[in-house]
Amino acid sequence: MTRFSALSLFTKALGGHKGWEQQWPDAQPKPSYDAIIVGGGGHGLGAAYYLARKYGITRVAVIEKGWIGGGNTGRNTTIIRSNYLYDESAHLYDHAVKLWDGLSQELNYNTMYSKRGVMMLAHNVHDVQSFKRHIHANRLNGVDNEWLTPDEAKEYCPPLSIDPNARYPVLGAALQRRGGTARHDTVAWGYARAAAALGVDIIQNCAVTDIRRGPDGAVEGVETTRGFIGAKKIGVSAAGNTSVIMKMAGLDFPLESYPLQALVSEPIKPVFPCVVMSNTVHAYMSQSDKGELVIGAGTDQYVSYSQRGALHIIEHTLASICEIFPIFRRMRMLRSWGGVVDVTPDRSPILGKTPVRGLYVNCGWGTGGFKATPGAADLLAYTIARDEPHRINAPFNLDRFRNGRLIDEAAAAAVAH
Amino acid sequence: MFLIDCPYCEERRPENEFAYAGEAHIARPLDPSALSDAEWETYLFIRANPRGRHNERWRHIHGCGRFFNAVRDTVTDKFECTYKAGEARR
Ligand SMILES: [Zn+2]
């Protein structure tokens, strides 16, 4: 596989961009592997890459029921930040943000990670108190986060309305300057290409239908729509479908799957310099490099696997956007879509071992999994390779729902995040 | 947006009159102090979350205000039926 470089781009451009080789082969399943990752999103592909790159397990297959990056990796609003309240969360998300730095170089694939800053708006006294508490907690954990007055917020993001008579007045904002966005597709493709180069098989259009377990209870492999594939270690990174996969191994999980919608506007000239989140009114916005405003909504209220949500959710979000950014009132929306997010009771992920020997899980990222992609992938790979969790993901075990050691970011944020 | 049949009002109304209230038929423990940690975990946190037929609670919050149960397919989002609270699982 040839490496991408300025020279290779330039010479291929001279040839009309013809002659680019296939970036990774469309692998066919082999009878067995040392490890199988179920789910070909960024998290799963990344886990396969780190297994091969860092932890020396190269006989790995990624099994995806659809096409890679076609699930939540391709359906999110690409926000990256790590300003979470609790120590465990701050360490987990900051591990990911540190890996985002340098990921393009490591993968030789431009993930377009842009540290344009994530600004979270405070609209009421509760927001102000909660965000300031987050800022203090973050700084104690070495995570950058700072308080902005309304005028400073306006200076950082000029389209913002700070009119004190607005429907959602801006009383201030928390800004994480290291936060930002990345290009979602390139994350999946970059990991896939780099993993395949290390010998990982990436198998698409192959749905797992059962998990086979031996007489001792340990996993022996997976039944799929393309036959049985053996492996002593299986990592499940299946987002909204995790409950379904886990039931195949006889496990009931503390997860519920909800539709989460996003939409983009028609493309316009660069006007929006950062990411703005308003948790209180469920509106999240940035501008893509193509010029579209990328807007995220809240989840629908009911459990669903339909990958679509109701229009009134989007209307609610757009009404808020129009109040906060009156400049966009006459923008037209181009496309909307939904993903299925797996939500835990404490809104923190589950990342570690399961009661079934040889079965590992990375799930429960809810509405905020994209930002964690490199970190979750690395920690899942570590846990699979060592058969024990890394100290960063150890607190995010399944046992916490039994022993009560919850990491309650839901209560900390009081909203989806 | 869903159109939901309230079994009390006997009317089909839009979803924004209703509040979803989670999986149905999860009975509150009769003797809480006798529960083990594992039983508490199951009661509080473990959910069926099926891909398909789902028994769930809704509340007609901007109507009669009453809780009722429904069966809905979580892949097609189609309601199979709604029925009054206290009636047997369908
Ligand atoms: Zn009613």
Side-chain angles (χ1 to χ4, degrees), chain A residues 237-248:
Chain A
S237 197
N241 286 294
T242 304
S243 292
V244 179
I245 302 281
M246 285 300 157
K247 277 200 188 88
M248 296 173 188

Side-chain angles (χ1 to χ4, degrees), chain B residues 27-51:
Chain B
R28 194 177 170 81
L30 292 173
D31 184 6
S33 58
L35 255 55
S36 68
D37 287 354
E39 286 166 329
W40 271 118
E41 180 193 20
T42 302
Y43 167 66
L44 290 173
F45 299 132
I46 302 294
R47 294 294 176 263
N49 198 28
R51 202 183 158 88

Side-chain angles (χ1 to χ4, degrees), chain A residues 273-318:
Chain A
C274 59
V275 180
V276 173
M277 304 177 59
S278 175
N279 292 346
T280 304
V281 295
H282 285 307
Y284 314 92
M285 187 155 81
S286 63
Q287 188 173 17
S288 75
D289 292 340
K290 284 189 288 183
E292 303 152 327
L293 299 178
V294 182
I295 298 169
T299 60
D300 277 84
Q301 53 178 341
Y302 48 81
V303 165
S304 177
Y305 289 82
S306 64
Q307 290 189 318
R308 59 195 287 183
L311 191 63
H312 66 271
I313 302 287
I314 289 178
E315 284 182 326
H316 172 77
T317 292
L318 289 178

Side-chain angles (χ1 to χ4, degrees), chain A residues 58-295:
Chain A
T58 53
R59 290 185 64 245
V60 177
V62 177
I63 301 176
E64 165 57 45
K65 76 181 163 99
W67 67 96
I68 66 160
N72 291 353
T73 297
R75 294 166 185 270
N76 67 87
T77 53
T78 76
I79 296 173
I80 296 170
R81 64 182 182 91
S82 62
N83 48 356
Y84 283 76
L85 180 66
Y86 292 110
D87 295 352
E88 297 89 342
S89 313
H91 295 149
L92 178 67
Y93 289 97
D94 215 45
H95 180 59
V97 169
K98 284 172 184 156
L99 286 172
W100 278 113
D101 253 335
L103 188 64
S104 296
Q105 282 72 24
E106 181 178 349
L107 299 178
N108 182 229
Y109 210 97
N110 188 3
T111 59
M112 303 186 194
Y113 174 37
S114 158
K115 284 183 258 190
R116 59 186 65 184
V118 172
M119 192 165 77
M120 302 169 81
L121 301 179
H123 296 297
N124 52 46
V125 174
H126 169 81
D127 284 353
V128 172
Q129 292 171 342
S130 157
F131 287 4
K132 286 189 172 171
R133 182 182 174 209
H134 274 70
I135 288 168
H136 296 315
N138 290 155
R139 293 175 81 134
L140 288 172
N141 277 317
V143 175
D144 70 305
N145 198 5
E146 62 194 90
W147 179 254
L148 302 184
T149 64
D151 286 326
E152 289 166 339
K154 170 89 179 163
E155 198 186 333
Y156 196 74
C157 182
L160 180 68
S161 164
I162 53 168
D163 181 351
N165 295 319
R167 171 74 182 82
Y168 306 113
V170 174
L171 304 186
L175 172 66
Q176 185 176 27
R177 292 182 192 269
R178 272 192 312 153
T181 59
R183 170 98 167 96
H184 48 77
D185 290 330
T186 67
V187 178
W189 299 338
Y191 272 127
R193 177 171 171 270
L198 294 167
V200 172
D201 279 357
I202 293 159
I203 303 162
Q204 303 182 77
N205 298 310
C206 180
V208 170
T209 54
D210 203 2
I211 292 176
R212 192 188 286 181
R213 295 171 64 184
D216 60 347
V219 298
E220 291 187 334
V222 291
E223 303 284 354
T224 76
T225 47
R226 292 166 71 174
F228 176 76
I229 309 173
K232 292 274 188 286
K233 294 185 170 195
I234 299 171
V236 176
S237 197
N241 286 294
T242 304
S243 292
V244 179
I245 302 281
M246 285 300 157
K247 277 200 188 88
M248 296 173 188
L251 297 176
D252 291 318
F253 255 58
L255 290 172
E256 288 193 295
S257 300
Y258 295 93
L260 179 66
Q261 298 182 84
L263 61 162
V264 293
S265 72
E266 57 192 341
I268 52 171
K269 290 270 171 66
V271 62
F272 203 76
C274 59
V275 180
V276 173
M277 304 177 59
S278 175
N279 292 346
T280 304
V281 295
H282 285 307
Y284 314 92
M285 187 155 81
S286 63
Q287 188 173 17
S288 75
D289 292 340
K290 284 189 288 183
E292 303 152 327
L293 299 178
V294 182
I295 298 169

Side-chain angles (χ1 to χ4, degrees), chain B residues 6 8-9 18 60 63-65:
Chain B
C6 175
Y8 295 101
C9 300
F18 298 84
H60 195 184
C64 61

Side-chain angles (χ1 to χ4, degrees), chain B residues 5-11 13 17-18 59-66 68:
Chain B
D5 293 315
C6 175
Y8 295 101
C9 300
E10 296 181 346
E11 271 196 75
R13 305 295 299 166
E17 284 189 15
F18 298 84
R59 187 179 177 205
H60 195 184
I61 193 162
H62 297 300
C64 61
R66 302 182 76 171
F68 59 91

